[in-house]
Amino acid sequence: MREVDVMGVRVEMPSNQPIVLLREVAGDRYLPIWIGAVEATAIAFAQQGVVPPRPLTHDLMKSLLDATGDGLAEVRIVEMKDGIFFATLVLRSGAEISARPSDSIALALRTGTKIVCAEDVLDTAGLAVPAEQDDEVERFREFLDHVTPEDFETDQP
């Protein structure tokens, strides 16, 4: 198992399908996982520290774990079969619960729990991006975040 960080949620174009992007902590691989819009919102809220006026499902799950005293020990992304990812929630008691990665990630972000990914999943679905390319990709993202249509206007007719 390799530890991964949540880089964020993006929308893949042209399909408008949300993905959560994970990055290997001690390596150069990224793992994109296609997710639903509701889960994308739940992950983005957790990353941004947004607290909704009423608890979302993942907030409820965290409250249940807190109330029972059996917290979340680890989130594992364990398998990819036919393009579908599978995860396991590992509780402190040792209980393991099968779950979707998107729900697992949303819960992990709310609880501050480590997320790990099976090596074979990273080997199969991970995308290697060397550090120098990673810096270039980040600069490009920053550019896209700040560019406006006016930046491309010319004075020539």
Side-chain angles (χ1 to χ4, degrees):
M1 291 287 190
R2 307 282 294 201
E3 186 173 359
V4 294
D5 281 335
V6 180
M7 298 304 298
V9 176
R10 307 273 189 271
V11 176
E12 184 199 37
M13 299 308 271
S15 69
N16 276 344
Q17 178 70 36
I19 63 168
V20 61
L21 185 62
L22 306 177
R23 182 184 67 188
E24 186 178 24
V25 169
D28 61 359
R29 293 179 287 187
Y30 286 80
L31 183 66
I33 300 176
W34 282 258
I35 60 176
V38 172
E39 293 78 12
T41 301
I43 291 169
F45 275 10
Q47 281 197 301
Q48 296 165 6
V50 173
V51 179
R54 298 196 50 176
L56 299 175
T57 303
H58 303 96
D59 301 310
L60 173 63
M61 292 170 64
K62 178 188 180 303
S63 295
L64 283 168
L65 290 171
D66 290 344
T68 62
D70 194 11
L72 188 59
E74 188 173 72
V75 164
R76 297 178 183 159
I77 299 170
V78 294
E79 185 179 17
M80 184 184 82
K81 188 172 14 174
D82 299 325
I84 299 171
F85 291 88
F86 296 84
T88 300
L89 300 173
V90 181
L91 303 184
R92 287 190 201 121
S93 65
E96 295 187 8
I97 303 158
S98 179
R100 296 182 305 180
S102 55
D103 291 326
S104 302
I105 291 165
L107 186 57
L109 289 172
R110 283 165 172 73
T111 59
T113 303
K114 177 170 73 169
I115 303 169
V116 296
C117 184
E119 186 76 35
D120 62 322
V121 171
L122 283 167
D123 288 343
T124 302
L127 307 170
V129 178
E132 61 274 5
Q133 285 183 354
D134 189 34
D135 292 342
E136 185 67 28
V137 167
E138 191 54 43
R139 284 195 300 275
F140 183 63
R141 273 195 201 120
E142 211 170 289
F143 166 76
L144 289 176
D145 287 342
H146 297 94
V147 72
T148 65
E150 291 78 27
D151 292 333
F152 296 99
E153 290 181 359
T154 63
D155 293 334
Q156 299 175 6

